[in-house]
Amino acid sequence: MEDASHGGADDAVDLMIAQWRVARPDLDPWPHGIVGRVHRLNRIVEREMGRYYAEYGLDGPEFDVLAALRAAGREGSLTAGELLRASTVTSGAVTNRIDKLERKGLVERAPDPVDRRSVVVSLTGPGRALVDDMLEGYFEAERRVIAALPDPDGFARSLRTLLISLGDAAPPGPPGGL
């Protein structure tokens, strides 16, 4: 079922699939053509985007929090719970991200005026300025990463369908996510 229209060039996943076909001819490894490539692509995208974040003294998880706060509106504020629901990590990991950004002076915490058991995380002036300064270059870096895709919109729709089918639908609440 694998598409052979790769212009004659093989990648590392092609090699793995060929090896599995020899080692275990009773199995059909074609799904690895997608899953293996998504896995490898994730590592490459993280590396490439990591270079961009490093130019600003951040890592990917820190940028994700800043971007979620900036995209959320409400003066760049979300409760810690909203940040947690928008992420795919544990509450401890979100707390760690917030701690690091707070030490850098990019976010601040305050008691939630609606629920005193909760905390509101907000961008500081320097945090807002930093994320705003980064956004144009961030989206340009993403464009460079996907530039070779022949149908980026179709690919995005396919990935959305797959993610939703696996239970990764958008959480209720404000837009923005990590």
Side-chain angles (χ1 to χ4, degrees), residues 19-41:
Q19 289 171 328
W20 279 120
R21 285 192 170 131
V22 171
R24 290 289 310 268
D26 58 311
L27 299 176
D28 185 1
W30 81 263
H32 193 67
I34 297 169
V35 176
R37 286 186 177 100
V38 167
H39 181 73
R40 293 176 69 85
L41 181 60

Side-chain angles (χ1 to χ4, degrees), residues 154-168:
F155 188 65
R157 283 190 302 273
S158 294
L159 290 174
R160 179 188 309 110
T161 298
L162 181 59
L163 285 169
I164 290 170
S165 78
L166 296 171
D168 195 39

Side-chain angles (χ1 to χ4, degrees), residues 7 19 58 70 80 96 173 176:
Q19 289 171 328
L58 298 175
R70 182 65 177 97
N96 185 41

Side-chain angles (χ1 to χ4, degrees), residues 30 56 69 91 93 109 131 175:
W30 81 263
Y56 291 87
L69 290 169
S91 60
R109 290 180 173 107
V131 74

Side-chain angles (χ1 to χ4, degrees), residues 104-169:
K104 292 179 178 185
L106 301 174
V107 301
E108 59 191 8
R109 290 180 173 107
D112 185 342
V114 177
D115 181 358
R116 295 188 55 108
R117 297 169 298 166
S118 185
V119 172
V120 174
V121 181
S122 303
L123 290 170
T124 62
R128 185 182 193 92
L130 177 64
V131 74
D132 281 347
D133 189 43
M134 291 180 72
L135 285 174
E136 186 176 340
Y138 169 77
F139 290 123
E140 182 54 38
E142 286 188 330
R143 277 194 250 340
R144 281 192 306 272
V145 167
I146 65 166
L149 283 174
D151 180 13
D153 291 331
F155 188 65
R157 283 190 302 273
S158 294
L159 290 174
R160 179 188 309 110
T161 298
L162 181 59
L163 285 169
I164 290 170
S165 78
L166 296 171
D168 195 39

Side-chain angles (χ1 to χ4, degrees), residues 72-92:
R74 296 194 322 214
E75 304 301 316
S77 299
L78 291 171
T79 67
E82 289 168 330
L83 279 170
L84 177 61
R85 283 188 296 279
S87 74
T88 58
V89 297
T90 66
S91 60

Side-chain angles (χ1 to χ4, degrees), residues 43-53 141 144-145:
R43 289 196 321 248
I44 291 167
V45 169
E46 284 184 353
R47 181 187 68 221
E48 294 301 312
M49 296 306 294
R51 290 178 184 152
Y52 181 72
Y53 305 136
R144 281 192 306 272
V145 167

